[in-house]
Amino acid sequence: MKKVLVIGYVWPEPNSSAAGTHMMSLLNAFRAQNWDVEFATPAQRTDHMVNLDDFGITSQSIALNCDSFDEYVKAYNPDIVMFDRFMMEEQFGWRVDKHCPHAIKILDTEDLQCLRNARHEAFKGERDFTTSDLHSDIAKREIAAILRCDLSLIISSYEMSLLNSVFKIEPSLLHHLPFMVDLSSLPTSTKTFEQRQHFMTIGNFRHAPNWDAVLYLQKIWPLIRKQLPKAELHIYGSYPPPKATALNNPKTGFLIKGWADNAFDVMQSARVCLAPLRFGAGIKGKLLEAMIMQTPSVTTNIGAEGMHNDLPWPGEIANTADDFANAAIEMHNNQSDFEQAQQDGNTLLNTLYDKAQLSAALIKKIDSISCDLSAHREKNFTGQMLKHHTMRSTQYMSQWIAEKNKKLD
């Protein structure tokens, strides 16, 4: 029986973000192998965090820049350590190397932070994104973390291609793992075209692309409302700040609903899901939820990126405010387009997001690496070079902070 230690950036909140849902899918995939799984994080506990005990997963609070982690990881002695985003590998990876050198190191990137940041910077600069924007300090840190690990989980097919073509990452170090959907639990039926009404969107307000999408919808919504004067836009999401709730306007049907007790319920009540994302990375949980609840979606190239390969999108893709509004209106009014989008969504779920197939492929990859970890690592000379003492700035900074904190105690 393998022992898995997952070092989280935050406590999992599957009802707050797609990242939380994805993390729980990974934890459950490990538990399905009858592996012992422990989740450890330096993050503060939250009101919306999942109770990991309910899933047979133990948990532990750990400290940043503290030698107490060394004793902890030695005592737990994991066979596999998975880091949630590159920042956790920077902080704890060298300690795992030192005390558990034979543990397989896996990096769950969630989405490429360097891609998201580069697109955001280009957007703020009101210019087109180019691959040269990727050559940032964040990219150097994130790619270094990928190279120091034995395997990195990449959620988007676009990001897989980017890592291969731009950063020349050896394919054996990467594994494409999109969101995993349990096809056996899909609803057998959802609300019909006639039973649904209005538009909706959903997303964590703390996530910059989601907040920008809400602001962009303020420009798009009057165009829709002009043609559909009785329509409403219901905007759901966790952690709505005052600047978001201030946008609530019942007179125009622009309604900030905030936290949704059940994202699937509010998704299937709407006729169309709107996701006008102008920057970001990874793949989008709200658009997958729309497919699951058979709700057509209108999004942008950024929103659909890496989610459908060459298959038809279950809705429409539009990249200007006018085109987006027209596509939303057409999808709202046309029942045949609505039902075709539902069929396209079902095709995507069955083709690209089958949990059984994706989970089996992941476990097979991990088992393959564990069978000959030394040979796997020998092929990754760059990763070994990055662990050399002259390249360990993160380790030395952490040790300096730890010593400083000891003197303060």
Side-chain angles (χ1 to χ4, degrees):
M1 181 184 295
K2 286 184 171 66
K3 296 175 69 176
V4 183
L5 173 62
V6 177
I7 301 178
Y9 182 67
V10 294
W11 292 99
E13 293 187 15
N15 292 329
S16 299
S17 69
T21 300
H22 188 55
M23 174 56 72
M24 288 308 301
S25 294
L26 284 164
L27 296 175
N28 287 326
F30 297 148
R31 283 293 298 133
Q33 303 302 308
N34 290 320
W35 295 349
D36 285 337
V37 181
E38 179 148 301
F39 187 91
T41 178
Q44 295 293 316
R45 294 177 180 271
T46 68
D47 293 337
H48 301 305
M49 60 183 281
V50 72
N51 186 351
L52 294 172
D53 290 341
D54 293 342
F55 299 87
I57 298 164
T58 56
S59 60
Q60 181 71 36
S61 291
I62 53 178
L64 298 171
N65 303 309
C66 184
D67 294 342
S68 61
F69 180 83
D70 298 354
E71 296 303 317
Y72 163 70
V73 77
K74 281 192 292 185
Y76 189 71
N77 193 27
D79 301 288
I80 299 168
V81 178
M82 187 176 81
F83 305 97
D84 174 21
R85 282 161 269 202
F86 79 89
M87 298 82 81
M88 293 297 96
E89 191 282 333
E90 282 186 332
Q91 176 64 218
F92 297 102
W94 64 271
R95 294 183 184 272
V96 172
D97 286 334
K98 182 177 181 180
H99 299 292
C100 302
H102 302 298
I104 296 173
K105 291 173 59 181
I106 299 175
L107 175 61
D108 178 26
T109 58
E110 291 292 351
D111 55 41
L112 285 181
Q113 309 294 305
C114 64
L115 175 60
R116 184 203 301 175
N117 180 75
R119 282 181 168 157
H120 196 180
E121 291 301 313
F123 177 78
K124 288 189 292 185
E126 298 182 344
R127 55 183 174 78
D128 291 337
F129 163 78
T130 66
T131 53
S132 63
D133 291 312
L134 289 168
H135 300 158
S136 64
D137 287 344
I138 288 180
K140 292 167 188 173
R141 292 169 57 194
E142 188 164 30
I143 299 304
I146 288 172
L147 290 167
R148 286 191 296 263
C149 287
D150 301 305
L151 186 67
S152 290
L153 308 181
I154 311 301
I155 203 166
S156 162
S157 58
Y158 175 85
E159 292 177 1
M160 285 287 288
S161 176
L162 190 73
L163 289 168
N164 290 149
S165 61
V166 176
F167 296 109
K168 311 301 180 184
I169 304 296
E170 171 62 39
S172 64
L173 298 177
L174 306 175
H175 183 77
H176 180 214
L177 185 71
F179 294 133
M180 295 184 279
V181 177
D182 184 358
L183 299 183
S184 66
S185 67
L186 292 179
T188 55
S189 64
T190 57
K191 290 184 178 180
T192 65
F193 179 84
E194 293 83 1
Q195 291 172 327
R196 298 171 183 243
Q197 58 180 343
H198 304 313
F199 299 86
M200 67 86 68
T201 191
I202 190 169
N204 190 324
F205 284 95
R206 291 177 175 174
H207 189 52
N210 289 338
W211 172 239
D212 176 74
V214 173
L215 297 179
Y216 192 28
L217 280 167
Q218 283 204 296
K219 180 178 181 180
I220 295 170
W221 182 243
L223 303 175
I224 297 175
R225 181 83 167 188
K226 185 177 180 180
Q227 299 298 319
L228 301 172
K230 295 183 179 180
E232 296 176 358
L233 172 59
H234 297 178
I235 301 173
Y236 297 91
S238 55
Y239 303 106
K243 64 181 180 180
T245 55
L247 299 179
N248 186 65
N249 191 338
K251 289 184 178 180
T252 64
F254 195 90
L255 306 177
I256 306 296
K257 296 286 189 175
W259 176 267
D261 291 331
N262 189 309
F264 291 113
D265 283 347
V266 298
M267 181 66 76
Q268 79 152 329
S269 295
R271 193 170 285 181
V272 185
C273 171
L274 303 181
L277 297 160
R278 295 191 284 187
F279 59 90
I283 60 178
K284 315 306 181 289
K286 63 177 70 62
L287 297 175
L288 189 71
E289 290 172 353
M291 295 181 214
I292 291 171
M293 301 314 297
Q294 298 189 316
T295 304
S297 60
V298 180
T299 190
T300 60
N301 285 337
I302 291 290
E305 180 183 87
M307 291 197 70
H308 64 117
N309 295 348
D310 296 325
L311 295 170
W313 183 254
E316 294 290 342
I317 298 173
N319 295 295
T320 68
D322 286 338
D323 289 347
F324 197 97
N326 290 334
I329 293 166
E330 181 66 19
M331 188 59 62
H332 179 276
N333 292 343
N334 193 314
Q335 184 170 353
S336 62
D337 287 352
F338 175 95
E339 292 173 351
Q340 181 60 54
Q342 290 184 315
Q343 294 178 29
D344 292 338
N346 290 335
T347 299
L348 279 181
L349 289 173
N350 284 277
T351 305
L352 301 179
Y353 299 99
D354 183 357
K355 174 185 174 181
Q357 292 184 11
L358 294 171
S359 179
L362 172 62
I363 299 304
K364 182 179 179 181
K365 181 74 171 182
I366 294 172
D367 286 343
S368 174
I369 292 173
S370 67
C371 285
D372 200 344
L373 182 58
S374 296
H376 179 78
R377 287 177 172 172
E378 284 178 5
K379 296 177 183 178
N380 180 19
F381 178 78
T382 305
Q384 299 305 309
M385 181 180 67
L386 287 169
K387 296 178 183 179
H388 190 262
H389 68 88
T390 60
M391 310 285 284
R392 288 181 175 174
S393 60
T394 303
Q395 173 183 339
Y396 297 144
M397 175 61 76
S398 181
Q399 289 177 322
W400 180 81
I401 294 173
E403 289 302 316
K404 177 184 173 184
N405 289 340
K406 288 178 184 177
K407 294 179 181 179
L408 294 174
D409 289 342

